[in-house]
Amino acid sequence: MSGTWHGGAAAVVTLTFDVDAEAPVLAHGRRFAGHASTMSHQAYGPDVGVPRILDLLDDTGVPATFFVPGWVAERRPGLARSIVDRGHEVAHHSYGHRPPTTMTPEEERADFERALAVFDAQNVPILGHRAANWQASWLTPTLVAEHGLRYDSSLMGDDRPYHVETPAGRLVELPVHWSLDDWEQYAFLPEPRVGAVIESPRKVLEMWQDELDAMRHYRCLFNLTNHPFLSGRPSRALALRRLIEFARARGDVRFSRCDDLARAADADPSLASRRLAPPEPDGYPGG
Ligand code: ZN
């Protein structure tokens, strides 16, 4: 089964960690820098969550991908390098974690390039990108291709990798979905109100196990997104460990970093190719 994106596995698991730290909160307003409890809640991600998750990945022998905003990497100069040195991938997650859909094309381009410059200065190789909040614009995939990156992981048009044709060339899309994101399960902040749930990790584990089994049935990409400030917390980290053990025990699941999967997907001509264009609103009622 060589030459296929899945390499013969029933499902491929990409464990991804979005090391957002303070950035998504500051994107709601710089005034939140003055909220000590909120800022410490976010700093827990890189300070406590990331080391704990790196140890967990070492223990289980699983490679992972860490999407890091350039602003976060810049403020913590050893962070991205420490992840790469442990055998994992660091990928582009905007500069300031402002959603592309809230920026002008010029602002989005400047933000995108500013993050690339940070990783370049830190000698951290970048092959992939994920839009802040998964709120990509129609320009986003083109920017990714134009800057020589190989894949994006922000769109939701499939549950297997697919090819996206952009004006700047072809990209691999490693699609995401809200059901495989810890934010919807664990994010709670009174202000700004980025989430209002604290679910049981047992419920989350059960949900993700069921999804993985269904994805084994349909041979899909189980692209899991965790945030160290959320899933670095003890019971959640242990639930993640049990999920890894569950996947291992199935015997037909393969773990991959996103860059390695994107290389395999790039070489797989059987993958679907999707057009990058907004729906034509002509005839749609309303303004
Ligand atoms: Zn993020």
Side-chain angles (χ1 to χ4, degrees), residues 18 20 93 97 227:
D18 293 4
D20 291 346
H93 191 38
H97 212 280
H227 298 77

Side-chain angles (χ1 to χ4, degrees), residues 11-284:
V12 177
V13 172
T14 44
L15 296 182
T16 73
F17 300 91
D18 293 4
V19 189
D20 291 346
E22 301 90 347
V25 173
L26 295 177
H28 285 264
R30 291 176 58 145
R31 67 187 180 284
F32 291 111
H35 291 210
S37 294
T38 303
M39 288 297 105
S40 65
H41 175 262
Q42 298 305 120
Y44 178 98
D47 294 346
V48 180
V50 169
R52 181 170 289 157
I53 287 162
L54 287 172
D55 287 347
L56 188 161
L57 295 172
D58 271 355
D59 285 352
T60 51
V62 174
T65 297
F66 290 72
F67 291 89
V68 185
W71 182 83
V72 174
E74 198 170 51
R75 280 177 46 85
R76 294 173 169 88
L79 177 67
R81 193 71 242 170
S82 74
I83 293 167
V84 171
D85 288 347
R86 299 277 284 266
H88 305 290
E89 176 194 6
V90 166
H92 188 310
H93 191 38
S94 82
Y95 178 78
H97 212 280
R98 293 169 65 208
T101 49
T102 67
M103 290 190 276
T104 66
E106 295 74 24
E107 287 171 336
E108 184 183 357
R109 175 178 292 278
D111 181 275
F112 191 96
E113 292 177 352
R114 194 171 177 188
L116 279 183
V118 172
F119 294 117
D120 193 44
Q122 295 184 356
N123 199 24
V124 171
I126 299 292
L127 260 83
H129 169 267
R130 173 172 287 167
N133 292 12
W134 296 342
Q135 285 179 267
S137 73
W138 290 104
L139 172 65
T140 308
T142 305
L143 279 177
V144 177
E146 182 188 320
H147 289 84
L149 277 59
R150 202 139 187 176
Y151 74 91
D152 177 71
S153 182
S154 319
L155 304 181
M156 308 194 190
D158 208 327
D159 40 38
R160 303 178 180 123
Y162 59 102
H163 295 149
V164 176
E165 302 292 342
T166 85
R170 195 179 78 171
L171 265 190
V172 169
E173 180 63 37
L174 303 180
V176 291
H177 190 257
W178 312 110
S179 59
L180 290 178
D181 183 357
D182 66 348
W183 196 289
E184 282 61 43
Q185 307 304 324
Y186 301 138
F188 178 94
L189 263 191
E191 192 191 7
R193 205 163 172 79
V194 298
V197 286
I198 299 181
E199 292 286 0
S200 161
R202 284 185 220 179
K203 180 216 105 172
V204 177
L205 178 62
E206 181 184 73
M207 199 174 81
W208 289 346
Q209 286 173 335
D210 285 352
E211 190 66 18
L212 179 58
D213 273 342
M215 287 188 147
R216 288 172 53 241
H217 179 82
Y218 288 109
R219 187 168 260 166
C220 299
L221 167 61
F222 186 94
N223 189 14
L224 185 71
T225 298
N226 279 177
H227 298 77
F229 74 91
L230 299 171
S231 283
R233 297 271 166 189
S235 61
R236 301 161 181 181
L238 285 186
L240 181 60
R241 186 187 191 105
R242 285 198 280 275
L243 179 69
I244 293 169
E245 290 165 354
F246 174 87
R248 274 265 158 72
R250 286 297 193 245
D252 55 8
V253 173
R254 178 174 172 183
F255 289 90
S256 178
R257 301 188 342 187
C258 289
D259 55 352
D260 293 331
L261 178 61
R263 285 188 195 96
D266 204 19
D268 185 343
S270 74
L271 286 182
S273 184
R274 308 224 188 276
R275 202 167 65 95
L276 183 69
E280 182 54 63
D282 282 2
Y284 186 81

